Amino acid sequence: MDYERYQNLHTIVMLRDILRKWWRAELCFADKGGQVIEWTKGQITPPPNDFCRLSLFSKEGFRRCGSSVRVLHEKFKASRKLRRSQFHECHLGFTIVGAPLHINGEYEGMLFVEGFSRQEVSPREAEQLKAKIAEVNQGATDLERAVERIPVMDDREVEKICDLLEFGANEIGNFEAELARKDETIESLSSELSDRYRFENIIGRSQAMLDVFRVLERVCQSDTTVLINGESGTGKELVARAIHYNGPRKDKPFVVQNCSAFNDNLLESALFGHVRGSFTGALRDKKGLFEVADGGTFFLDEVGDMSPSLQVKLLRVLQEGTFLPVGGTAPKQVDVRVISATHKDLGELVKKGEFREDLFYRLNVIRITVPSLRDRKDDLPMLVDHLMRKHRRDGQRARGLSPDAMSVFQSYHWPGNIRELENEIERLLVLGGDQELLTADLVSSRIRDTVSGANGTSVIGAARVAAVPAGRLNDAVEQLERDMISQGLQRTRHNKSKLSRELGISRSNLILKIQKYGLERPGFAGADDDEAEANA
């Protein structure tokens, strides 16, 4: 068990603060062997009991304190059914209260608090206590004052501490269970990740996306460094995840850090970790994300925003696989595949002297450019269908976009790319989820006004008129009918029953029109596409 990660759980942080604030008590962990995690690392933070301090900082006293903790540990280890907090008196007669930690039904250690008395110490007990401390620490002084400062807790306070410890143990168990469920989910999705046209959640069959998929197929099985270029919202992180989960490191960690999210000091600590006392507030050693990602993949987003000093440390990791934590003296070795991304042109930054040339070449071994949405408009119907299925809620009738709305989408520039498209689809489903087809008048005014300004005409209804060719009325009507059926077939994946309901015509009439306009799918001529769709 990695107890270090529990220290940053919100529940454990709050639990530790409450114990310190209300009772000046220190939360400790013991592993499944009964060893106190903090003590084995030399991080001894004794309770505000002078006798505990005098004992813990002597060799024999430290040994006896550890033995006292293990007695309580053995109680939990002996019975799987024992889940409530338990008490034990230490070698000095003070109370230790602990709650067992069970992960997936197995005992993995305990949380505990120690060093307080459950009743006032009598003069006779005080003399016995002085004698006991003299056995383990002969240089102990000022014992009269130590007796006066012994923490005393009544039954109500002890009951509160028991509840808090049990709550903390349950939260850790739930945290581990959630991680296990996520691992199962990743395994269940492994078959989807091998699909050529669907790496992770990447949707698209345009030529621009096919070029991306061809590169992905080649780089996934390697360990080479990859640089992903693309505008904000194009899905650079999804591409990085696709590379990781389709490669040999898929069972190892995938760690993400945005380099523009922190200032230099915080980013350095996040990437490389720090040692205790290296700066104000560094109360314990902390692993950096490179160490967390050891054996797996580290995705560095917006790497172009990294400062020159951190670029040097990143270059060392790429070249030698080693780094120094903040305040550390001993280098750490890691095996990490680095995938970086940026919306900036690193080549131009190199020319300006804002990015190290040697680091650029280390990152830019394989470059993947994710196209913007405006450069892959052929994927819009497929993306809209995917996002509508993703965000559709129970009770919503919406099956797709009307031809007018799709025309508006096709005419829009999409500066926010896929992220903007997803937000718009989610908004449309909220506003028009009770309609069969979402119409152009529901589209955000920002989008409609932009398209109207570019075309010099009103959007609502204009998209259809603009598409009508000059000439005979009958030809224009047939062209409109062909376009509506063609777009509908793409939207419904050639489900004729579904499309006939949307268009308000019979299925047999729709089939005749599809044959008339030559819109049958290649390889499906004469086949029942509804049945083929159901059996796919």
Side-chain angles (χ1 to χ4, degrees), residues 82-127:
L82 194 58
R83 300 298 178 98
R84 301 298 301 273
S85 297
Q86 298 293 313
F87 302 94
H88 174 65
E89 285 192 358
C90 73
H91 67 106
L92 294 176
F94 298 118
T95 297
I96 304 175
V97 55
L101 178 59
H102 288 85
I103 306 297
N104 297 324
E106 296 294 330
Y107 173 69
E108 295 290 347
M110 68 176 184
L111 289 72
F112 71 94
V113 171
E114 62 167 351
F116 60 90
S117 177
R118 299 176 68 183
Q119 60 185 9
E120 292 292 340
V121 178
S122 67
R124 181 173 176 274
E125 290 170 334
E127 292 303 319

Short mmCIF file of all heavy atoms in Angstrom, two decimals, residues 82-127:
data_model
loop_
_atom_site.label_atom_id
_atom_site.label_comp_id
_atom_site.label_asym_id
_atom_site.label_seq_id
_atom_site.Cartn_x
_atom_site.Cartn_y
_atom_site.Cartn_z
N LEU A 82 -13.38 -7.40 13.30
CA LEU A 82 -13.17 -6.26 14.20
C LEU A 82 -12.96 -5.00 13.36
O LEU A 82 -11.89 -4.80 12.80
CB LEU A 82 -11.96 -6.52 15.10
CG LEU A 82 -11.78 -5.61 16.32
CD1 LEU A 82 -13.00 -5.67 17.22
CD2 LEU A 82 -10.53 -6.01 17.09
N ARG A 83 -13.98 -4.14 13.27
CA ARG A 83 -13.90 -2.95 12.42
C ARG A 83 -14.02 -1.65 13.23
O ARG A 83 -13.79 -0.58 12.68
CB ARG A 83 -15.01 -2.98 11.36
CG ARG A 83 -14.95 -4.18 10.42
CD ARG A 83 -13.67 -4.19 9.62
NE ARG A 83 -13.57 -5.34 8.76
CZ ARG A 83 -13.86 -5.36 7.46
NH1 ARG A 83 -14.31 -4.25 6.89
NH2 ARG A 83 -13.73 -6.44 6.75
N ARG A 84 -14.40 -1.74 14.49
CA ARG A 84 -14.55 -0.54 15.31
C ARG A 84 -13.24 -0.18 15.98
O ARG A 84 -12.30 -0.98 16.07
CB ARG A 84 -15.62 -0.76 16.38
CG ARG A 84 -16.99 -1.11 15.84
CD ARG A 84 -17.57 0.00 14.96
NE ARG A 84 -17.69 1.25 15.67
CZ ARG A 84 -18.75 1.59 16.39
NH1 ARG A 84 -19.77 0.75 16.50
NH2 ARG A 84 -18.81 2.77 16.99
N SER A 85 -13.15 1.05 16.48
CA SER A 85 -11.94 1.52 17.18
C SER A 85 -11.74 0.71 18.46
O SER A 85 -12.69 0.29 19.11
CB SER A 85 -12.07 3.00 17.51
OG SER A 85 -12.15 3.78 16.34
N GLN A 86 -10.46 0.52 18.83
CA GLN A 86 -10.08 -0.22 20.03
C GLN A 86 -9.05 0.57 20.82
O GLN A 86 -8.35 1.44 20.28
CB GLN A 86 -9.52 -1.60 19.66
CG GLN A 86 -10.50 -2.50 18.93
CD GLN A 86 -11.65 -2.93 19.81
OE1 GLN A 86 -11.44 -3.34 20.96
NE2 GLN A 86 -12.87 -2.85 19.29
N PHE A 87 -8.91 0.23 22.13
CA PHE A 87 -7.98 0.92 23.02
C PHE A 87 -6.89 -0.03 23.49
O PHE A 87 -7.07 -1.25 23.55
CB PHE A 87 -8.71 1.48 24.24
CG PHE A 87 -9.81 2.43 23.92
CD1 PHE A 87 -11.13 1.98 23.80
CD2 PHE A 87 -9.55 3.77 23.73
CE1 PHE A 87 -12.15 2.86 23.50
CE2 PHE A 87 -10.57 4.66 23.45
CZ PHE A 87 -11.87 4.21 23.32
N HIS A 88 -5.76 0.58 23.88
CA HIS A 88 -4.69 -0.18 24.53
C HIS A 88 -3.85 0.79 25.35
O HIS A 88 -3.66 1.95 24.94
CB HIS A 88 -3.81 -0.90 23.50
CG HIS A 88 -2.62 -1.57 24.10
ND1 HIS A 88 -2.73 -2.63 24.98
CD2 HIS A 88 -1.28 -1.31 23.97
CE1 HIS A 88 -1.51 -3.00 25.34
NE2 HIS A 88 -0.63 -2.22 24.76
N GLU A 89 -3.37 0.35 26.48
CA GLU A 89 -2.48 1.18 27.30
C GLU A 89 -1.04 0.90 26.91
O GLU A 89 -0.61 -0.25 26.84
CB GLU A 89 -2.70 0.90 28.79
CG GLU A 89 -3.98 1.50 29.33
CD GLU A 89 -4.02 1.47 30.84
OE1 GLU A 89 -3.06 0.93 31.45
OE2 GLU A 89 -4.99 1.97 31.41
N CYS A 90 -0.28 1.98 26.67
CA CYS A 90 1.12 1.83 26.28
C CYS A 90 1.97 1.47 27.50
O CYS A 90 1.47 1.36 28.62
CB CYS A 90 1.63 3.11 25.62
SG CYS A 90 1.90 4.47 26.78
N HIS A 91 3.27 1.33 27.31
CA HIS A 91 4.16 0.90 28.39
C HIS A 91 4.24 1.92 29.52
O HIS A 91 4.64 1.59 30.64
CB HIS A 91 5.56 0.62 27.83
CG HIS A 91 6.27 1.84 27.33
ND1 HIS A 91 7.31 2.42 28.00
CD2 HIS A 91 6.07 2.60 26.21
CE1 HIS A 91 7.75 3.47 27.33
NE2 HIS A 91 7.01 3.60 26.23
N LEU A 92 3.83 3.17 29.25
CA LEU A 92 3.81 4.19 30.29
C LEU A 92 2.43 4.33 30.94
O LEU A 92 2.26 5.09 31.89
CB LEU A 92 4.22 5.55 29.71
CG LEU A 92 5.67 5.67 29.21
CD1 LEU A 92 5.90 7.03 28.58
CD2 LEU A 92 6.65 5.44 30.34
N GLY A 93 1.43 3.60 30.39
CA GLY A 93 0.09 3.67 30.95
C GLY A 93 -0.84 4.64 30.25
O GLY A 93 -1.97 4.83 30.69
N PHE A 94 -0.38 5.29 29.18
CA PHE A 94 -1.22 6.20 28.43
C PHE A 94 -2.03 5.43 27.39
O PHE A 94 -1.70 4.31 27.02
CB PHE A 94 -0.39 7.29 27.75
CG PHE A 94 0.35 8.16 28.73
CD1 PHE A 94 1.74 8.21 28.72
CD2 PHE A 94 -0.34 8.92 29.66
CE1 PHE A 94 2.42 9.00 29.62
CE2 PHE A 94 0.34 9.72 30.56
CZ PHE A 94 1.73 9.75 30.55
N THR A 95 -3.11 6.06 26.90
CA THR A 95 -4.05 5.39 25.99
C THR A 95 -3.61 5.54 24.54
O THR A 95 -3.23 6.63 24.09
CB THR A 95 -5.46 5.97 26.16
OG1 THR A 95 -5.90 5.70 27.49
CG2 THR A 95 -6.44 5.32 25.18
N ILE A 96 -3.70 4.43 23.81
CA ILE A 96 -3.59 4.42 22.34
C ILE A 96 -4.95 4.00 21.81
O ILE A 96 -5.49 2.97 22.23
CB ILE A 96 -2.52 3.42 21.85
CG1 ILE A 96 -1.16 3.71 22.47
CG2 ILE A 96 -2.42 3.47 20.33
CD1 ILE A 96 -0.11 2.67 22.11
N VAL A 97 -5.54 4.79 20.92
CA VAL A 97 -6.80 4.42 20.30
C VAL A 97 -6.59 4.36 18.79
O VAL A 97 -5.98 5.27 18.20
CB VAL A 97 -7.92 5.42 20.65
CG1 VAL A 97 -7.55 6.84 20.29
CG2 VAL A 97 -9.23 5.04 19.96
N GLY A 98 -7.04 3.25 18.18
CA GLY A 98 -6.82 3.07 16.75
C GLY A 98 -8.03 2.49 16.05
O GLY A 98 -8.89 1.86 16.68
N ALA A 99 -8.11 2.70 14.72
CA ALA A 99 -9.18 2.13 13.88
C ALA A 99 -8.52 1.32 12.77
O ALA A 99 -7.56 1.77 12.15
CB ALA A 99 -10.04 3.24 13.28
N PRO A 100 -9.02 0.09 12.50
CA PRO A 100 -8.40 -0.77 11.50
C PRO A 100 -8.67 -0.28 10.08
O PRO A 100 -9.74 0.28 9.80
CB PRO A 100 -9.05 -2.13 11.75
CG PRO A 100 -10.39 -1.80 12.31
CD PRO A 100 -10.20 -0.55 13.12
N LEU A 101 -7.72 -0.53 9.20
CA LEU A 101 -7.84 -0.15 7.79
C LEU A 101 -7.96 -1.42 6.96
O LEU A 101 -7.03 -2.22 6.91
CB LEU A 101 -6.62 0.67 7.38
CG LEU A 101 -6.53 1.12 5.92
CD1 LEU A 101 -7.73 1.97 5.55
CD2 LEU A 101 -5.24 1.89 5.69
N HIS A 102 -9.13 -1.62 6.33
CA HIS A 102 -9.37 -2.79 5.49
C HIS A 102 -9.52 -2.36 4.04
O HIS A 102 -10.30 -1.45 3.74
CB HIS A 102 -10.61 -3.54 5.93
CG HIS A 102 -10.44 -4.29 7.23
ND1 HIS A 102 -10.61 -3.69 8.46
CD2 HIS A 102 -10.08 -5.58 7.48
CE1 HIS A 102 -10.39 -4.59 9.41
NE2 HIS A 102 -10.07 -5.74 8.85
N ILE A 103 -8.77 -3.02 3.16
CA ILE A 103 -8.85 -2.75 1.72
C ILE A 103 -9.25 -4.05 1.03
O ILE A 103 -8.56 -5.06 1.14
CB ILE A 103 -7.51 -2.26 1.15
CG1 ILE A 103 -7.00 -1.04 1.93
CG2 ILE A 103 -7.65 -1.94 -0.33
CD1 ILE A 103 -7.88 0.17 1.85
N ASN A 104 -10.39 -4.01 0.32
CA ASN A 104 -10.89 -5.20 -0.37
C ASN A 104 -11.00 -6.39 0.57
O ASN A 104 -10.67 -7.53 0.22
CB ASN A 104 -9.99 -5.55 -1.57
CG ASN A 104 -9.97 -4.46 -2.61
OD1 ASN A 104 -10.98 -3.80 -2.86
ND2 ASN A 104 -8.81 -4.23 -3.23
N GLY A 105 -11.44 -6.13 1.79
CA GLY A 105 -11.65 -7.19 2.76
C GLY A 105 -10.42 -7.66 3.49
O GLY A 105 -10.51 -8.54 4.35
N GLU A 106 -9.26 -7.10 3.18
CA GLU A 106 -8.01 -7.51 3.81
C GLU A 106 -7.50 -6.42 4.75
O GLU A 106 -7.55 -5.23 4.42
CB GLU A 106 -6.94 -7.81 2.75
CG GLU A 106 -7.28 -8.98 1.83
CD GLU A 106 -7.30 -10.31 2.56
OE1 GLU A 106 -6.55 -10.45 3.56
OE2 GLU A 106 -8.07 -11.19 2.16
N TYR A 107 -7.00 -6.83 5.91
CA TYR A 107 -6.45 -5.88 6.87
C TYR A 107 -5.11 -5.36 6.36
O TYR A 107 -4.21 -6.13 6.02
CB TYR A 107 -6.25 -6.57 8.23
CG TYR A 107 -5.52 -5.72 9.25
CD1 TYR A 107 -6.13 -4.58 9.79
CD2 TYR A 107 -4.22 -6.03 9.64
CE1 TYR A 107 -5.46 -3.80 10.72
CE2 TYR A 107 -3.54 -5.25 10.57
CZ TYR A 107 -4.16 -4.13 11.10
OH TYR A 107 -3.49 -3.35 12.01
N GLU A 108 -4.97 -4.03 6.28
CA GLU A 108 -3.76 -3.42 5.72
C GLU A 108 -3.06 -2.49 6.69
O GLU A 108 -2.07 -1.86 6.33
CB GLU A 108 -4.11 -2.65 4.44
CG GLU A 108 -4.60 -3.52 3.29
CD GLU A 108 -3.50 -4.38 2.70
OE1 GLU A 108 -2.32 -4.13 3.01
OE2 GLU A 108 -3.83 -5.31 1.94
N GLY A 109 -3.54 -2.36 7.92
CA GLY A 109 -2.91 -1.47 8.88
C GLY A 109 -3.95 -0.75 9.72
O GLY A 109 -5.11 -1.16 9.78
N MET A 110 -3.53 0.34 10.34
CA MET A 110 -4.48 1.09 11.18
C MET A 110 -4.10 2.55 11.26
O MET A 110 -2.96 2.94 11.00
CB MET A 110 -4.52 0.48 12.58
CG MET A 110 -3.25 0.65 13.39
SD MET A 110 -3.43 -0.01 15.07
CE MET A 110 -1.83 0.44 15.79
N LEU A 111 -5.10 3.38 11.63
CA LEU A 111 -4.90 4.78 11.97
C LEU A 111 -5.00 4.87 13.48
O LEU A 111 -5.87 4.23 14.08
CB LEU A 111 -5.97 5.67 11.34
CG LEU A 111 -5.97 5.92 9.84
CD1 LEU A 111 -6.40 4.68 9.07
CD2 LEU A 111 -6.93 7.07 9.49
N PHE A 112 -4.13 5.66 14.11
CA PHE A 112 -4.21 5.72 15.57
C PHE A 112 -3.75 7.07 16.11
O PHE A 112 -3.07 7.85 15.43
CB PHE A 112 -3.38 4.59 16.21
CG PHE A 112 -1.89 4.74 16.09
CD1 PHE A 112 -1.14 5.34 17.10
CD2 PHE A 112 -1.22 4.27 14.96
CE1 PHE A 112 0.24 5.47 16.99
CE2 PHE A 112 0.16 4.40 14.84
CZ PHE A 112 0.89 5.00 15.86
N VAL A 113 -4.16 7.32 17.37
CA VAL A 113 -3.76 8.49 18.14
C VAL A 113 -3.33 7.98 19.51
O VAL A 113 -3.92 7.04 20.04
CB VAL A 113 -4.93 9.48 18.29
CG1 VAL A 113 -4.59 10.58 19.28
CG2 VAL A 113 -5.29 10.10 16.94
N GLU A 114 -2.29 8.59 20.07
CA GLU A 114 -1.76 8.08 21.33
C GLU A 114 -1.36 9.25 22.25
O GLU A 114 -1.39 10.41 21.86
CB GLU A 114 -0.53 7.22 21.08
CG GLU A 114 0.62 8.01 20.43
CD GLU A 114 1.94 7.27 20.45
OE1 GLU A 114 2.02 6.22 21.10
OE2 GLU A 114 2.88 7.78 19.84
N GLY A 115 -1.00 8.86 23.51
CA GLY A 115 -0.35 9.81 24.40
C GLY A 115 -1.25 10.61 25.30
O GLY A 115 -0.88 11.72 25.71
N PHE A 116 -2.46 10.12 25.63
CA PHE A 116 -3.33 10.87 26.53
C PHE A 116 -3.85 9.93 27.62
O PHE A 116 -3.81 8.69 27.50
CB PHE A 116 -4.50 11.51 25.78
CG PHE A 116 -5.39 10.52 25.08
CD1 PHE A 116 -6.49 9.97 25.73
CD2 PHE A 116 -5.14 10.14 23.76
CE1 PHE A 116 -7.32 9.07 25.08
CE2 PHE A 116 -5.97 9.23 23.11
CZ PHE A 116 -7.05 8.69 23.77
N SER A 117 -4.32 10.53 28.70
CA SER A 117 -4.88 9.77 29.81
C SER A 117 -6.39 9.95 29.83
O SER A 117 -6.91 11.01 29.47
CB SER A 117 -4.30 10.26 31.14
OG SER A 117 -4.88 9.57 32.23
N ARG A 118 -7.10 8.91 30.24
CA ARG A 118 -8.56 8.97 30.25
C ARG A 118 -9.11 9.39 31.61
O ARG A 118 -10.32 9.43 31.80
CB ARG A 118 -9.13 7.61 29.84
CG ARG A 118 -8.67 7.22 28.42
CD ARG A 118 -9.14 5.85 28.04
NE ARG A 118 -10.58 5.79 27.87
CZ ARG A 118 -11.24 4.67 27.58
NH1 ARG A 118 -10.58 3.53 27.48
NH2 ARG A 118 -12.55 4.69 27.44
N GLN A 119 -8.21 9.69 32.55
CA GLN A 119 -8.62 10.21 33.85
C GLN A 119 -7.45 10.95 34.48
O GLN A 119 -6.30 10.80 34.04
CB GLN A 119 -9.08 9.08 34.78
CG GLN A 119 -8.00 8.04 35.05
CD GLN A 119 -8.53 6.88 35.88
OE1 GLN A 119 -9.73 6.78 36.11
NE2 GLN A 119 -7.64 6.02 36.33
N GLU A 120 -7.73 11.78 35.48
CA GLU A 120 -6.68 12.53 36.14
C GLU A 120 -5.67 11.57 36.79
O GLU A 120 -6.04 10.54 37.35
CB GLU A 120 -7.29 13.43 37.22
CG GLU A 120 -8.15 14.57 36.67
CD GLU A 120 -7.33 15.60 35.91
OE1 GLU A 120 -6.09 15.66 36.13
OE2 GLU A 120 -7.93 16.34 35.10
N VAL A 121 -4.38 11.93 36.70
CA VAL A 121 -3.32 11.08 37.25
C VAL A 121 -3.19 11.36 38.75
O VAL A 121 -3.01 12.51 39.17
CB VAL A 121 -1.98 11.36 36.53
CG1 VAL A 121 -0.85 10.52 37.13
CG2 VAL A 121 -2.13 11.07 35.04
N SER A 122 -3.27 10.28 39.55
CA SER A 122 -3.14 10.42 41.01
C SER A 122 -1.67 10.60 41.39
O SER A 122 -0.77 10.29 40.59
CB SER A 122 -3.69 9.18 41.70
OG SER A 122 -2.88 8.05 41.42
N PRO A 123 -1.38 11.11 42.60
CA PRO A 123 0.02 11.26 43.04
C PRO A 123 0.79 9.94 42.98
O PRO A 123 1.97 9.92 42.61
CB PRO A 123 -0.12 11.77 44.48
CG PRO A 123 -1.43 12.49 44.48
CD PRO A 123 -2.32 11.70 43.58
N ARG A 124 0.14 8.86 43.37
CA ARG A 124 0.81 7.56 43.32
C ARG A 124 1.14 7.17 41.89
O ARG A 124 2.25 6.69 41.59
CB ARG A 124 -0.09 6.50 43.96
CG ARG A 124 0.52 5.10 44.00
CD ARG A 124 -0.38 4.16 44.80
NE ARG A 124 0.13 2.81 44.76
CZ ARG A 124 -0.16 1.92 43.81
NH1 ARG A 124 -0.95 2.28 42.81
NH2 ARG A 124 0.34 0.70 43.83
N GLU A 125 0.19 7.38 40.98
CA GLU A 125 0.44 7.06 39.57
C GLU A 125 1.52 7.96 38.98
O GLU A 125 2.31 7.53 38.13
CB GLU A 125 -0.86 7.22 38.77
CG GLU A 125 -1.90 6.16 39.09
CD GLU A 125 -3.26 6.46 38.47
OE1 GLU A 125 -3.53 7.67 38.24
OE2 GLU A 125 -4.02 5.52 38.21
N ALA A 126 1.59 9.20 39.43
CA ALA A 126 2.63 10.11 38.96
C ALA A 126 4.01 9.62 39.35
O ALA A 126 4.96 9.69 38.55
CB ALA A 126 2.38 11.51 39.51
N GLU A 127 4.14 9.11 40.57
CA GLU A 127 5.44 8.60 41.01
C GLU A 127 5.83 7.36 40.21
O GLU A 127 7.00 7.18 39.84
CB GLU A 127 5.39 8.27 42.51
CG GLU A 127 5.27 9.50 43.40
CD GLU A 127 6.40 10.49 43.17
OE1 GLU A 127 7.57 10.04 43.01
OE2 GLU A 127 6.12 11.70 43.12
#
